[in-house]
Amino acid sequence: MAENNIHWHQALISRSDRELRHGHKSVILWFTGLSGAGKSTLAHAIERRLFEKHCATFVFDGDNVRHGLCSDLGFTQGDREENIRRVGEMAKLFTEAGVIAITAFISPFSADRERVRSLVATNDFIEIYCRCTIDVCEQRDVKGLYAKARQGLIPNFTGISSPYEIPQNPELTVDTGKLSLDECVEQVLAYLKLQRVIVY
Ligand SMILES: Nc1ncnc2c1ncn2[C@@H]1O[C@H](COP(=O)(O)OS(=O)(=O)O)[C@@H](OP(=O)(O)O)[C@H]1O
Ligand SMILES: Nc1ncnc2c1ncn2[C@@H]1O[C@H](COP(=O)(O)OP(=O)(O)O)[C@@H](O)[C@H]1O
């Protein structure tokens, strides 16, 4: 029996085993910014580039989280806090599986973002602020939500009737309101190489 236990213990695959196999560090890339700032677009573009480099990746965003895991949550401060807490825990599990977890949520409250940061080792949480003015986001109005929020049809809308706390010390700021998507992608990839998250 004791022999069996030793056997099973040796069979456990560590996170660093997985990182070695995948050839990259498993970190959380946490995109934050206003609705329409470009978080989702940038997250998926980065994932595509990492995928081409054979990295193991997964993107969490409103589309795959708010309809399932967090379908019971709305947009009060408490619900957003819980949304980010659940996403943070999921992202952490993915890093333990050797995956680069990429998240694209407004995550407007600094305390919620910092709570996720505290879940993983220093350097494993990379906060990327998608900087874009509310004017530009409103002009884009990808989903027509700003127009509705201005008419008072959507309560607690970030940037209009609910706050967005700008990251004070993000690992990276990308000017998604001024630069092209390609320029932003290159900036993020350059950072990941510099920090040796990826090697080439
Ligand atoms: N009240 C209110 N405020 C902000 N956003 C709203 C709201 N109601 C619905 N939506 C839509 O939900 C998307 C944001 O969801 P998130 O999960 O990223 O929000 S949060 O991080 O929990 O604050 C957000 O868009 P994206 O940022 O484009 O995904 C909106 O499409
Ligand atoms: N540099 C950029 N990075 C990301 N998106 C950009 C950029 N420039 C323009 N866009 C456009 O802005 C819109 C952002 O939408 P989306 O990615 O859904 O934002 P979010 O996920 O932050 O709500 C898209 O139509 C996208 O093509």
Side-chain angles (χ1 to χ4, degrees):
M1 192 61 195
E3 240 173 66
N4 274 350
N5 283 342
I6 289 166
H7 174 78
W8 283 109
H9 176 72
Q10 286 171 342
L12 288 178
I13 300 163
S14 73
R15 176 177 165 175
S16 52
D17 291 337
R18 295 176 204 271
E19 289 183 329
L20 267 175
R21 170 64 58 89
H22 292 147
H24 58 73
K25 281 187 67 191
S26 45
V27 296
I28 299 178
L29 300 185
W30 189 275
F31 290 90
T32 173
L34 293 170
S35 176
K39 305 177 297 293
S40 235
T41 304
L42 188 51
H44 284 284
I46 294 289
E47 180 179 48
R48 168 61 53 188
R49 291 289 294 275
L50 293 176
F51 181 79
E52 285 163 3
K53 295 174 189 293
H54 306 282
C55 297
T57 57
F58 190 75
V59 177
F60 296 86
D61 63 13
D63 289 339
N64 59 17
V65 166
R66 274 199 170 268
H67 297 296
L69 177 68
C70 296
S71 59
D72 55 326
L73 302 175
F75 291 89
T76 61
Q77 182 164 352
D79 279 4
R80 291 179 199 254
E81 178 184 337
E82 177 60 10
N83 184 41
I84 298 311
R85 188 191 72 77
R86 290 183 198 172
V87 171
E89 292 287 354
M90 283 294 293
K92 179 188 174 189
L93 288 175
F94 271 58
T95 65
E96 284 168 11
V99 174
I100 298 176
I102 306 172
T103 69
F105 294 86
I106 298 177
S107 44
F109 300 108
S110 303
D112 299 345
R113 298 190 298 261
E114 290 311 302
R115 209 167 295 119
V116 178
R117 180 189 292 279
S118 72
L119 292 176
V120 295
T122 318
N123 302 329
D124 286 356
F125 180 82
I126 299 174
E127 185 178 24
I128 303 172
Y129 172 38
C130 296
R131 183 161 59 191
C132 185
T133 64
I134 185 126
D135 291 351
V136 171
C137 292
E138 208 163 348
Q139 274 160 28
R140 289 178 179 165
D141 207 3
V142 185
K143 300 174 187 168
L145 296 179
Y146 281 95
K148 284 191 184 155
R150 287 290 179 201
Q151 292 167 44
L153 299 175
I154 308 176
N156 300 325
F157 197 82
T158 308
I160 292 178
S161 46
S162 185
Y164 177 78
E165 296 173 0
I166 295 171
Q168 294 305 301
N169 216 358
E171 275 65 23
L172 197 60
T173 296
V174 281
D175 277 310
T176 52
K178 292 185 181 152
L179 303 178
S180 69
L181 176 61
D182 282 351
E183 287 171 314
C184 294
V185 168
E186 293 307 330
Q187 197 184 334
V188 175
L189 288 176
Y191 180 85
L192 297 181
K193 283 178 201 162
L194 189 70
Q195 297 301 317
R196 302 197 182 286
V197 172
I198 54 176
V199 285
Y200 71 97

